[in-house]
Amino acid sequence: MSSPAPPHDQPHDQPYDQPRDPLRRERDHLAASRAALRAMRQDVEALDISDVTGNWVNAKILTGEIETRIRALADLAGTPLFFGRLDYLHAPGAEPTEGAAAESFYIGRRHVHDADGDPMVVDWRAPVSQPFYRASRSEPMEVALRRRFGYTGGELTAYEDEHLSDPAESDSSSRLLQAEIERPRVGPMRDIVATIQPEQDEIVRAGVGGTVCVQGAPGTGKTAVGLHRVAYLLYAHRERLARTGTLVIGPNRSFLRYIEQVLPALGELQVRQSTVDDLVAHVEVRGTDSATSARVKGDARMAEVLRRAVRSGIRMPTEPVVVVRGSRRWRLPPYELEEIVRELADREIRYGAAREALPQRIAHAVLVQMERAGEAPDDRVQDAVARTPAVKAAVKACWPPVDPARTVLRLLSDPEFLASCADGLLTGEEQRAVLWARPARGLKAARWSAADAVLVDEAYDLVQRTSSLGHVVLDEAQDLSPMQYRAVGRRCSTGSATVLGDLAQGTTPWATSSWAEALAHLGKPGARVEELTRGFRVPREVIAYASRLLPAIAPGLAPATSVREAAGALSVRQVLADALDSAVVAACRESLAQEGSTGLIAADPRVPELAAALAAAGLSCLSPGEETSATARLTLVPASLAKGLEYDYVVLDEPAAVVAAEPDTRTGLRRLYVALTRAVSGLAVVHAQPLPAELAR
C-alpha cells in the first residue's frame, strides 16, 4: 500500500474556501447524494400501478416488490452513504490516450444516481469498484488515487489519500482503515464493506457456480466474508438467485440475532437465516442425547441404515394383477410384476417417486397386452388402468406408503428392526447407544432429540426430494456432524455453498477433523478451500496467547497472525478461590470504564453464580444475542454460546472450569480457544484454579 497523506480533519464551524477545500467539496457531494437517494425513493413511492396489472394477484405481487424496493432505498441514519473514492487515470477499461479525461467514482453500499441517471455513488459490488479493495502500488489497476473517508456517525469528518501511481510515495498502512477496524463494537455485528482486504475480496467475488470453503482463524473476518459474498452474488446474479433463493445457516439463534443487520445494511432484505435445527424441524425436539448416542446418530453410516429402514417394506408379488376393462380381463403374472418392482428398486430413485411410478408401469404392461390383442389404447386408458382397485392393491402390497417420522420412531424403539437395518454397519454396542431407553407410545409422545430430528430429515429426503436453493452460506461448519452436513447439502444440491469455519474451534463430540471429509458429506467434494490466517480483529498479544492451545487442539493448523498491536491488551490474574467472583466483577468494571462492549465469558455452570454476583454489585447484564447499547454494554456469555460473537473487551472467568465443563479435555481446550479469541481490544483472564497446562506453558 502506498504511503497515504495524513487524515484531514475540519471542524464544522470553520469557514471554507470552496475551490480549495477538498473536505467541503466531499461533504457537498455527500449531501447531494443523500438528496438524490431521497429522490429515488420518492420516485418509487409515487408509482401508480392501479392500471398496470391485470388481476389482484399480480397487483399484490407488484406492490410487495415496490415495498421491498422502497425499504432497500432507505438512507440509514449514522451509516456512511459512501466510504471511498477512486480516481482513474482514464475511463475504466478504455485504452489510454493522450489527453484522456480522468474519471472519479464514489464507492458506497448502494448505487445512487442523479435525475439524469448519472451515478453519484457506485455500488461496492460493481466491477468498477473492485480496485478500491485490490489496487496497490505494485498493481494500481489504472487508479491514480484512492481516497478513504472517515465519519462520525453519518457525518464526513476526514479523508485520506493514496496516490497509487506516484513512485515517490512509500508503503504504509491506512490510519482511517485501522480506525474503522478498531471502532468499538456496540450493537449487533456490522458490515466490513469499507475495510475488505484483497484476500477477503477474492473470496467475496468468487463465482456463483462453485462452492468455496473458508478455513479462517479467529479475527480473520470469515463470517463477514460469507455475508458479503451473499450480497455480492445477489448483485451479480440477481435474477437467478431471486428465483432459486439464498440461505444463511448459523450455529444458534443468538448468533443469527448478532449478524441479522449486516445484509439489510447492504441493501439485501430477502435472505433467509436459519439454524440447522430449524431446517430439520419436522418433529418437536424435547429430549437430549448422551455424547456417545449423538456421535453414532450423527455418523454417515446412519444414512444407509435409514435407507434400509425406508425400503424395508418393499415386497415381491406372489399374486397376479387382474384388471377388468368392460367385458375383458387382463392378467399380469407375478413374475412380470416382480420384474417391474425390481427394476424400480434397483434404480435407487426416491421411495415416493418410485411408488408414484409403479402404477403407471403396471398399467403400461397391461396396455402392451391390449395392443397385442388388437386394441389401440391411449394415455387416458393407461391412466384409468393405473387407478383401478387391482393396481392400487398391488402397489400397496409391493410398495406400501412410508411415513418418515414413524419409520425413524420404529428404528429407535424396536431392537429387532434396528438390528436388521444396521446389520454390518453398526456394532451391537452402537445399536444399544442409539436405542431409546423407553419406547415411545406414538409420535406425539416421542421425546425426539436434535440428532433424531436430523435422522427424520434424512428419511423425508429418502421418500421425497428436498428442494434445493441457489446458494447457502454455512457458518461455524466445523461443529456439524456428517448427517447434519448431508441435511445442509440437500438444501444446495443443485446450487452452490460458502462454507465457513475453523477446525481449531470445533467443540462438538463429532467436530470435523478435515475439510475434505466435511465437503464430501456436504456433497461438494470438489469445493475450493481457502485459508485466512491474517487477523484484523483480535490483537496480536491475545491471538498469540490463545495459539498456545493449537498444538493440542489442531496440530495441523498454522497460528494466526494479526495486523493489530494493542499495548496492555492481555492481562492474566490469579486470585484466591473465595475472591474469584469479586475479582471478576472488578475486571468487568475496569472494562466498562473503556468505550465499547464487554463480554463476561464463563463455563455454563458458573453463569448463575456470576449473574448473582453482578446483580449484587449493581451491574446489569444482557444475554447473548441481546443488542448492546450506550447504556447496556455488559453481556454475560455462557462459553457454549460464545462462538461467532465478539466484544471490545472480554473478561474470561476460570479457564479450567471452561475446559472441565466439556465431556473431554480436547473439546474443552477448543471451547477455551473460542472464549479466548472473542476480544477486539482487551482480554482479562481471571482464575483461581491453575491454568490448563497447554495454556500455562
Side-chain angles (χ1 to χ4, degrees):
M1 183 181 291
S2 60
S3 177
H8 298 265
D9 294 287
Q10 184 97 33
H12 294 291
D13 56 351
Q14 180 172 332
Y16 296 100
D17 180 1
Q18 177 65 23
R20 296 182 181 178
D21 184 6
L23 191 59
R24 174 60 181 269
R25 289 198 299 273
E26 302 295 18
R27 286 172 171 167
D28 288 345
H29 186 79
L30 176 61
S33 299
R34 291 197 182 280
L37 181 61
R38 286 195 300 272
M40 291 171 61
R41 181 183 174 100
Q42 289 167 358
D43 287 344
V44 178
E45 290 173 336
L47 289 175
D48 183 2
I49 63 170
S50 56
D51 297 324
V52 174
T53 58
N55 55 62
W56 68 271
V57 175
N58 290 339
K60 188 172 183 178
I61 294 172
L62 184 56
T63 298
E65 291 178 351
I66 289 174
E67 290 174 349
T68 299
R69 176 63 175 163
I70 291 171
R71 291 197 303 272
L73 289 172
D75 190 357
L76 303 177
T79 301
L81 192 57
F82 57 78
F83 46 81
R85 194 183 93 189
L86 291 177
D87 290 359
Y88 279 85
L89 294 168
H90 49 79
E95 289 294 328
T97 58
E98 186 176 351
E103 286 200 50
S104 296
F105 297 91
Y106 287 84
I107 313 302
R109 286 168 171 77
R110 59 171 59 83
H111 175 85
V112 180
H113 60 254
D114 61 17
D116 297 324
D118 295 325
M120 300 190 71
V121 180
V122 178
D123 196 300
W124 66 276
R125 299 166 286 187
V128 76
S129 303
Q130 188 173 5
F132 183 78
Y133 302 107
R134 297 200 191 181
S136 64
R137 187 183 171 201
S138 60
E139 186 62 44
M141 302 176 70
E142 304 178 352
V143 173
L145 178 142
R146 173 167 54 202
R147 175 169 287 180
R148 300 182 189 274
F149 296 107
Y151 286 84
T152 300
E155 189 67 28
L156 196 159
T157 56
Y159 70 90
E160 185 178 65
D161 288 344
E162 299 168 76
H163 297 89
L164 300 180
S165 58
D166 186 352
E169 288 195 359
S170 59
D171 291 337
S172 68
S173 60
S174 164
R175 286 200 285 164
L176 285 181
L177 179 64
Q178 191 75 9
E180 174 63 21
I181 291 173
E182 297 177 355
R183 186 156 54 95
R185 266 74 176 159
V186 175
M189 181 180 178
R190 59 176 181 264
D191 64 72
I192 63 164
V193 66
T195 63
I196 294 173
Q197 299 299 294
E199 63 269 31
Q200 296 173 327
D201 188 66
E202 184 176 349
I203 297 170
V204 166
R205 296 176 191 264
V208 70
T211 291
V212 179
C213 175
V214 182
Q215 159 62 41
T220 54
K222 57 184 177 294
T223 295
V225 165
L227 295 175
H228 286 69
R229 176 159 163 72
V230 172
Y232 170 78
L233 292 177
L234 286 168
Y235 175 88
H237 307 278
R238 176 79 58 188
E239 184 175 343
R240 173 178 173 178
L241 292 180
R243 182 176 66 254
T244 56
T246 52
L247 174 67
V248 174
I249 302 174
N252 52 61
R253 291 176 184 173
S254 295
F255 177 84
L256 293 179
R257 286 195 295 270
Y258 178 62
I259 68 169
E260 66 183 357
Q261 295 304 316
V262 173
L263 288 168
L266 299 173
E268 301 301 340
L269 308 174
Q270 303 300 315
V271 180
R272 188 162 66 95
Q273 298 181 355
S274 175
T275 65
V276 174
D277 290 345
D278 292 335
L279 286 182
V280 300
H282 303 288
V283 293
E284 182 182 358
V285 174
R286 296 185 296 165
T288 57
D289 282 312
S290 67
T292 301
S293 176
R295 189 182 293 110
V296 177
K297 290 178 181 179
D299 193 287
R301 292 173 294 167
M302 289 301 299
E304 175 59 21
V305 174
L306 287 165
R307 191 195 71 83
R308 294 178 183 178
V310 166
R311 302 171 73 84
S312 62
I314 298 175
R315 297 286 184 270
M316 292 302 123
T318 57
E319 300 292 332
V321 174
V322 179
V323 176
V324 178
R325 290 281 298 172
S327 61
R328 301 290 301 271
R329 293 164 61 89
W330 306 96
R331 184 178 183 275
L332 194 66
Y335 73 86
E336 192 169 346
L337 183 57
E338 181 177 341
E339 288 180 2
I340 296 173
V341 173
R342 287 195 183 281
E343 191 269 337
L344 283 174
D346 292 343
R347 286 181 59 191
E348 293 292 339
I349 61 177
R350 296 296 194 286
Y351 187 93
R355 191 173 191 277
E356 292 174 1
L358 181 56
Q360 289 292 332
R361 297 292 181 89
I362 296 173
H364 177 74
V366 173
L367 259 65
V368 170
Q369 292 186 11
M370 292 180 177
E371 290 170 349
R372 288 172 181 167
E375 296 191 15
D378 56 19
D379 290 345
R380 290 175 297 178
V381 174
Q382 180 169 325
D383 290 340
V385 171
R387 294 193 298 268
T388 59
V391 172
K392 288 183 178 180
V395 170
K396 186 176 182 180
C398 297
W399 211 286
V402 166
D403 182 292
R406 292 186 184 280
T407 300
V408 177
L409 178 67
R410 182 186 174 195
L411 192 70
L412 300 177
S413 302
D414 185 339
E416 293 183 2
F417 184 55
L418 175 61
S420 66
C421 296
D423 183 38
L425 294 171
L426 302 181
T427 66
E429 184 178 351
E430 288 173 326
Q431 292 177 35
R432 288 189 292 274
V434 301
L435 279 169
W436 287 349
R438 290 179 296 175
R441 297 180 179 178
L443 287 175
K444 292 184 178 180
R447 294 186 61 82
W448 301 100
S449 69
D452 297 336
V454 179
L455 299 181
V456 174
D457 187 71
E458 178 86 21
Y460 267 95
D461 185 70
L462 288 166
V463 176
Q464 295 291 344
R465 181 183 297 276
T466 304
S467 298
S468 174
L469 298 164
H471 192 79
V472 169
V473 174
L474 174 62
D475 205 353
E476 302 296 349
Q478 73 281 344
D479 277 335
L480 268 61
S481 70
M483 293 300 290
Q484 287 175 316
Y485 277 118
R486 291 175 60 88
V488 174
R490 290 191 282 275
R491 271 74 184 180
C492 56
S493 58
T494 60
S496 56
T498 300
V499 180
L500 311 167
D502 179 10
L503 297 179
Q505 297 186 57
T507 52
T508 56
W510 48 83
T512 299
S513 59
S514 76
W515 289 122
E517 178 185 346
L519 292 167
H521 293 311
L522 190 70
K524 308 291 183 183
R528 186 173 106 224
V529 179
E530 298 284 351
E531 188 169 4
L532 295 176
T533 59
R534 192 161 68 112
F536 305 97
R537 175 176 58 79
V538 184
R540 189 172 303 169
E541 297 83 354
V542 174
I543 195 65
Y545 185 66
S547 294
R548 297 180 183 184
L549 300 174
L550 285 179
I553 62 176
L557 292 184
T561 60
S562 178
V563 300
R564 297 182 55 224
E565 285 191 59
L570 173 67
S571 68
V572 181
R573 313 169 189 178
Q574 184 169 14
V575 299
L576 297 175
D578 57 1
L580 180 59
D581 289 357
S582 59
V584 168
V585 171
C588 289
R589 288 193 187 277
E590 292 175 20
S591 296
L592 291 170
Q594 311 295 320
E595 184 182 6
S597 59
T598 295
L600 169 55
I601 303 179
D604 291 30
R606 282 273 294 157
V607 168
E609 183 178 345
L610 290 175
L614 291 173
L619 293 178
S620 59
C621 60
L622 304 170
S623 298
E626 291 186 297
E627 186 173 333
T628 56
S629 65
T631 57
R633 296 185 291 121
L634 174 61
T635 305
L636 178 55
V637 187
S640 62
L641 296 181
K643 194 169 296 178
L645 305 179
E646 62 180 27
Y647 302 92
D648 289 290
Y649 297 91
V650 166
V651 177
L652 176 59
D653 169 80
E654 199 61 273
V658 173
V659 176
E662 300 300 326
D664 60 80
T665 301
R666 187 176 186 185
T667 303
L669 290 174
R670 286 181 168 182
R671 184 77 71 189
L672 178 58
Y673 181 75
V674 171
L676 287 168
T677 54
R678 301 303 96 199
V680 174
S681 296
L683 169 67
V685 178
V686 184
H687 68 103
Q689 300 179 41
L691 292 173
E694 295 80 0
L695 191 64
R697 64 168 173 251

